[in-house]
Every structure is written in structure tokens, then in C-alpha cells.
Amino acid sequence: MSTGTLWVYPENQKGKAIRAVAAYGGLELEVPAYEHGKTNKEEAFLAKFPHGKVPTFETKDGFKLFESTPIARHLATLAPNSGLLGSSPEDAALVDQWTHFADLEIDANQLIIFNMVKGLGIAYNKLVHTALLERVHRAFTTLNNYLATRTFLVGERITLADIWVAAITQFGTFFHLDNATRARFPHLLRLVDTIVNQPKLAGTFSATPSLEKPLAFTPPAKEKKEKEPKAAQPKAEKKPKAKAAEDDDDDEPAVPAEKKEKNPLDDLPKSSFNLEDWKRAYSNKDTRGADGALEWFYLNFDKDGFSIWRVDFKYNNELTQTFMSSNQIGGFFARLEASRKYLFGSVGVLGESNNSVISGIFILRGQEVEPVISAAPDWESYEYKKLDLANEADKAFFEGACAWDLEIDGKKWVDGKNFK
């Protein structure tokens, strides 16, 4: 007997997960033919689900649900002997933890990437693409490390969490999780293979594809303008400049140049401290010493016009190889390019592989960190604390980060990068 009706298009990854939950729990679902953009706009559908999104679910007695995770969880409760929610309240909480983690840290970011590279309503932006991909890979790393000593995410049996994570991860294998990248997450991909090949779930998931290269954004082809025949004109009446415009072979019509918006930081009161002079002093002098860069800094710094900030990566437990962490700093700095005239940075990796932290300092224009650092899409992956050089501990931290001899909780500086 059917438990209810599920509306969703066949390739939807969360629809697959919901159908897998039902199949694993021994529940039957009716899944009628569905055409996205048509079925969900029909009057009968909107009368039941006014928001018009899928997946949606309705039981035989008229109970209705939308949003994927609640639908899956409700189905799991209808199959209590399946073990899909674990065997204790603590297990159920962990199931919720991993399903929400996969939704927020992987699926939400993957969908934006997919829509951008496919040109589906979101303008492509390389910096945003890179930042989102880093967030997805960070989530994959968390899952992979957790699964290194476990077969399943919760307990010793398959739960909703495993099905959910597997479905969302497999979706990534169709467009961005290429074969080389998969090699970094063997335990996570092992979970995917375990779930999609379950006999109970035969026909629910397609085979995980091989992907040699991630799907790349391809700009739409430009349409060539047809040139209209020009009426003959007396030679004396020709206007060279106007004719040049007529003969322009650009594929797109000329548009007025956008007026560059003024950065609010440029309206701050003039400062006596020249950031470019500091960058030169830092590059050309020894950092410490009587005539060193730090001595120059203390003689010239304007604490009213500039501020000093400690920066710490929020997810140090996810760092692995120190060279990869150093590359991460480089990527962060690259995305700060728009703030180069307002910012100096010295950030490094401290510790050793699989036991390291990312930390350092920024010197920036003004007294607030966000106007300068938010130029990088991933700026919120770091914590910021304003330093007071009158405080000995803050001063010692600042000098150590500049000189690359900083030490935190016994972890010594092993590699670093400057933003100059």
C-alpha cells in the first residue's frame, strides 16, 4: 500500500535520497510524472503547495510536507524498524547533524556552482566559484576524516545521514568532483559506493560517473551583428569619426563605460602613515633590529588612520598538509586583490601536518575590518581581533607574525605569505 505521493523531477539529488529512504524502510511511494516549470505551476499543484517548489509530499489522508529533509525524516519515522534514525535520541541528533551539514555546507554551495557554470540564472564569477568550491572541499574533508575510522556516520548501520550525504556527494561527481579530486576523499567516496550499491536501493541511484575534468563555464556565443548597407554619400560629407563607429566590428554594441564607484575608505581623514612606504620598508629591511622594519613602523604608524588585526582560521581541525594550508593562504590573499591599496598582511601556517593552525596579522585602513577584508568572498572563514600595541602580548604577537617567528601553543611558524 502506498504511503503517499512524492512530486519531484527524476534527476533531483534530494528526491533520490527521499526515494532511497522510503525504499530502505520498506515504504511504497507514488511518484507521478513531473515536468519542472510546468507541473509545479499548475493550479491543482499550487492549491496544495502554494510555494511551488519540490520535492513535496502528501499522504493518503492529506498530510502535506515540503522541504526535502523533513520529508525524508518523516518517512524514516514511519519505518521505525529500519534503524534510519539510529537507536537512541543521541543517534537521532547525530543523524540530524549530518543531514543539515550536508545541506548547508555541501548542497547549497554545489547548487550555486552548478547554476553558475551552466548559466542558469546566476552570473558566472570566478572568485565566487573558487570560494564556494573551497567550502565544499572543506566539508568533504570533514566527512572524509570522520569516516576514516568508521563505516557509517552514525552507529554501525545505515541511517538517513548516510543516504543523505551519499546522494548529495554523488550529485557533485556529475559536474565538479572529478577523478583526481575524488582521490583526496577516499573514505567519503567509499560511503557513496556503499549506499548507491545497496540491493534495497536498486534503481534509485544511477551509477557514479567517471569525470575526467570538472564542468567549466563556457561564455555564451556572441551574436554577430548584420551590417546594414549604407547609403552612398558625397565624399565631402563623410565624417570619419562617425564612419569609424559604423564600421566597428565589435560583436556587441558599445555601451557607456560604467562609472567607477568611489570606495568609502577613500573618504577617511588623510593619514600620515603611508602604507606603500611601510611595504617597501618591510621588503627592504631586516624585520627586527635597530634600523629594522618594525622600528620604522613604530616611528611612522598612525593608529587613528589605520588599525592592526589578528586573523585566525576558524577551521584548523580540518587542515592537513602544511603546504596545502599555505596554498590556502595564497588563495585568500588572491581574493583580496581589490583591497591591496588599503591592506598589508603577514599570515602563516604554524605546527605540522595534521596538527597546524593558520594565523597572522593585517594592517588595514580605518578602524573596521569588514570594509577592507570583505573583498574576499571567504573572509568569514576567519576570525578577527583588533590588536593594541600598548598591550605587550598583542605587540609580541604582531612582531612575531611580521618576523615569521611567531609561536602559538607550542606550534612554530613553518611557512607564511605576505600581502603587499
Side-chain angles (χ1 to χ4, degrees):
M1 179 179 175
S2 173
T3 304
T5 303
L6 177 71
W7 285 271
V8 69
Y9 48 97
E11 63 272 23
N12 181 277
Q13 67 276 17
K14 291 186 179 179
K16 292 179 183 179
I18 292 169
R19 288 187 283 117
V21 168
Y24 197 83
L27 306 173
E28 293 184 12
L29 291 179
E30 293 180 21
V31 185
Y34 175 89
E35 185 177 348
H36 198 57
K38 180 179 178 182
T39 305
N40 60 320
K41 295 184 182 298
E42 292 174 353
E43 187 176 337
F45 185 92
L46 292 173
K48 294 181 178 183
F49 305 103
H51 198 61
K53 67 182 296 187
V54 294
T56 54
F57 174 74
E58 182 180 15
T59 64
K60 291 298 183 182
D61 59 4
F63 176 64
K64 302 177 186 66
L65 277 175
F66 64 93
E67 294 296 343
S68 306
T69 311
I71 295 172
R73 202 179 195 289
H74 177 66
L75 292 173
T77 64
L78 299 180
N81 295 328
S82 65
L84 283 167
L85 295 178
S87 58
S88 68
E90 289 78 13
D91 282 356
L94 288 171
V95 168
D96 287 345
Q97 168 188 281
W98 289 118
T99 53
H100 286 297
F101 179 81
D103 279 345
L104 297 173
E105 298 297 331
I106 302 174
D107 195 55
N109 295 317
Q110 281 189 157
L111 283 172
I112 297 174
I113 294 171
F114 181 79
N115 288 329
M116 281 200 304
V117 297
K118 295 286 285 185
L120 301 175
I122 301 179
Y124 184 77
N125 183 300
K126 177 64 174 175
L127 293 179
V128 173
H129 183 174
T130 301
L132 292 176
L133 201 58
E134 286 181 355
R135 296 184 75 89
V136 172
H137 286 177
R138 186 164 70 240
F140 284 162
T141 299
T142 296
L143 286 162
N144 190 69
N145 291 345
Y146 187 79
L147 288 166
T149 58
R150 298 169 176 84
T151 303
F152 302 113
L153 288 165
V154 182
E156 301 300 324
R157 297 176 60 188
I158 290 175
T159 64
L160 167 60
D162 301 301
I163 293 174
W164 210 252
V165 167
I168 287 173
T169 302
Q170 193 197 44
F171 174 56
T173 66
F174 286 88
F175 69 100
H176 79 84
L177 193 50
D178 61 297
N179 297 337
T181 306
R182 291 178 210 184
R184 295 168 48 193
F185 312 112
H187 309 300
L188 175 58
L189 270 296
R190 181 252 305 155
L191 177 70
V192 173
D193 288 340
T194 298
I195 298 302
V196 302
N197 291 306
Q198 284 293 308
K200 287 184 179 181
L201 307 184
T204 303
F205 293 101
S206 55
T208 301
S210 174
L211 186 66
E212 292 301 320
K213 291 183 180 180
L215 182 67
F217 173 70
T218 303
K222 297 178 180 178
E223 296 181 3
K224 293 284 184 182
K225 290 194 307 180
E226 275 191 36
K227 294 183 183 178
E228 296 181 3
K230 304 171 197 171
Q233 292 181 347
K235 189 172 183 179
E237 294 181 11
K238 287 184 180 180
K239 298 181 181 179
K241 288 185 180 179
K243 186 175 186 303
E246 289 177 353
D247 288 343
D248 188 1
D249 284 331
D250 286 348
D251 295 327
E252 296 179 355
V255 295
E258 290 186 10
K259 186 177 179 180
K260 189 175 179 180
E261 291 186 13
K262 187 175 182 180
N263 193 310
L265 293 167
D266 293 332
D267 291 330
L268 293 174
K270 186 169 177 149
S271 173
S272 59
F273 180 71
N274 188 306
L275 189 62
E276 296 305 313
D277 286 347
W278 156 246
K279 292 177 181 179
R280 281 190 286 272
Y282 181 84
S283 299
N284 298 322
K285 295 174 177 283
D286 291 336
T287 307
R288 299 184 187 271
D291 190 35
L294 287 172
E295 185 64 22
W296 185 97
F297 179 83
Y298 293 135
L299 289 172
N300 292 278
F301 184 61
D302 167 25
K303 65 182 180 62
D304 295 322
F306 286 79
S307 55
I308 303 170
W309 295 77
R310 172 173 173 167
V311 54
D312 292 281
F313 186 54
K314 291 180 180 179
Y315 309 103
N316 289 314
N317 62 313
E318 298 173 8
L319 300 178
T320 54
Q321 301 298 312
T322 54
F323 78 89
M324 294 173 64
S325 302
S326 183
N327 290 342
Q328 179 175 308
I329 298 169
F332 181 40
F333 281 0
R335 292 183 286 279
L336 284 168
E337 180 61 34
S339 290
R340 186 170 295 277
K341 66 183 285 190
Y342 310 107
L343 179 66
F344 167 86
S346 182
V347 179
V349 185
L350 296 84
E352 58 190 7
S353 292
N354 300 311
N355 182 29
S356 64
V357 300
I358 291 176
S359 188
I361 60 95
F362 283 136
I363 301 169
L364 56 85
R365 187 72 165 104
Q367 301 301 314
E368 300 297 330
V369 71
E370 184 173 351
V372 181
I373 305 299
S374 59
D378 55 338
W379 74 281
E380 291 182 303
S381 295
Y382 297 80
E383 292 179 339
Y384 307 90
K385 176 191 173 187
K386 186 180 284 189
L387 298 180
D388 179 4
L389 295 184
N391 178 289
E392 286 301 319
D394 284 359
K395 184 177 181 181
F397 185 94
F398 169 71
E399 293 186 352
C402 288
W404 288 20
D405 54 16
L406 182 65
E407 185 173 330
I408 298 176
D409 297 331
K411 296 180 176 68
K412 295 184 178 180
W413 190 286
V414 293
D415 196 7
K417 294 186 183 295
N418 289 128
F419 185 86
K420 296 189 288 186

